[in-house]
Amino acid sequence: SLSGKPVRFEITVNKMYDYDIPEISDELIAENTDYKTVDEYRAFVREELEKQAKEEADVYLEEDLMSAFVENCEFGGEFEKALEERKETFLKECDEQLLSMYGMDTVTFYGMYYGVPEEEVMQMIEEESAMEVKTTYAVKELAKQENITVSEEDYEAQYAEFAETSGMTVDEVREDLAQMKADGTLEEYIKENK
């Protein structure tokens, strides 16, 4: 064993690179972007960053509103059964993917990724699953009380949005969702966003 013993390595440097970062100029911008001047490019970058920040803020606001809504709901009946089913489904789906990709189960992978023990991983899964199930139940009940329905036009609009963001055709999106048997999930997603 080499443990605790000094070791000597010999290496050969085959190449070295020196990066010459050019001065930002109108010429550089015009050659490498769709913009003609530094000012135009900076305005574009600023606009994109502001747009991204607004989108992120909107997402956080939606999540906070949904969390507040869900926390003020009472759950009974089949909630515990649905929660257990969701945890099992999550673990099964993740295990299949992570075992094939990394040769690890979900709990081991997330434990290593987050640097937490198995109990904390299971607590994280429990909390996330509970929020998903609560949100689904709360949205279903709200939709029922408010008579919110999903029309064929709503489905078509959602297919088109998914197609645009995924780079797929509407027919491919429709086929993928059908294969995943995600009709109920899609209906709940549309209701949640109405």
Side-chain angles (χ1 to χ4, degrees), residues 158-160 162-164 166 168-178 180:
Q158 196 60 63
Y159 292 143
F162 286 162
E164 184 179 328
S166 68
M168 300 166 70
T169 67
V170 169
D171 289 336
E172 290 171 331
V173 168
R174 195 179 283 118
E175 185 179 314
D176 277 4
L177 291 171
M180 293 187 298

Side-chain angles (χ1 to χ4, degrees), residues 55 58-59 62-63 66 132-133 135-143 148-151 153-166 173 177 180-194:
E55 288 171 359
D58 289 347
V59 166
E62 276 183 36
E63 288 175 357
M66 184 59 74
E132 283 184 38
V133 173
T135 300
T136 299
Y137 272 64
V139 168
K140 276 184 185 178
E141 186 59 31
L142 179 64
I148 297 172
T149 58
V150 178
S151 67
E153 291 81 24
D154 293 329
Y155 279 112
E156 291 304 318
Q158 196 60 63
Y159 292 143
E161 184 181 319
F162 286 162
E164 184 179 328
T165 58
S166 68
V173 168
L177 291 171
M180 293 187 298
K181 298 179 181 156
D183 291 340
T185 305
L186 180 59
E187 180 179 2
E188 295 310 314
Y189 178 82
I190 293 171
K191 284 180 182 177
E192 185 177 322
N193 289 290
K194 264 192 153 186

Side-chain angles (χ1 to χ4, degrees), residues 11 15-16 59 65 79 83 85 87 89 99 105 159 178 190:
I11 61 168
K15 284 186 181 180
M16 290 180 60
V59 166
L65 289 171
F79 173 75
L83 176 58
E85 287 174 359
K87 284 192 304 191
T89 302
L99 283 168
D105 66 10
Y159 292 143
I190 293 171

Side-chain angles (χ1 to χ4, degrees), residues 22 32 100 105 114 126 134 143 146 148:
N32 294 288
S100 70
D105 66 10
Y114 291 110
E126 173 91 24
K134 285 179 178 181
E146 297 294 321
I148 297 172

Side-chain angles (χ1 to χ4, degrees), residues 15-130:
K15 284 186 181 180
M16 290 180 60
Y17 295 95
D18 182 23
Y19 292 101
D20 183 26
I21 299 174
E23 183 86 20
I24 190 165
S25 65
D26 290 345
E27 182 180 287
L28 179 72
I29 293 298
E31 287 175 10
N32 294 288
T33 73
D34 294 334
Y35 300 91
K36 292 181 175 42
T37 68
V38 172
D39 290 339
E40 283 179 11
Y41 184 69
R42 284 191 172 136
F44 160 74
V45 169
R46 179 182 198 89
E47 184 179 316
E48 287 298 305
L49 290 172
E50 287 174 352
K51 183 174 136 187
Q52 182 182 355
K54 183 185 179 330
E55 288 171 359
E56 286 179 17
D58 289 347
V59 166
Y60 288 132
L61 177 61
E62 276 183 36
E63 288 175 357
D64 289 347
L65 289 171
M66 184 59 74
S67 291
F69 169 64
V70 167
E71 292 308 315
N72 286 307
C73 295
E74 292 182 19
F75 299 93
E78 304 235 347
F79 173 75
E80 290 300 325
K81 179 181 177 194
L83 176 58
E84 287 306 313
E85 287 174 359
R86 177 64 195 125
K87 284 192 304 191
E88 287 175 21
T89 302
F90 175 81
L91 286 169
K92 181 181 175 215
E93 289 170 354
C94 286
D95 280 350
E96 287 173 5
Q97 187 176 25
L98 294 171
L99 283 168
S100 70
M101 291 172 63
Y102 303 109
M104 292 183 224
D105 66 10
T106 305
V107 174
T108 305
F109 178 82
Y110 282 104
M112 289 176 59
Y113 185 81
Y114 291 110
V116 296
E118 182 178 319
E119 300 80 37
E120 285 187 47
V121 172
M122 291 307 294
Q123 181 65 33
M124 290 165 49
I125 292 169
E126 173 91 24
E127 289 170 5
E128 183 63 31
S129 297

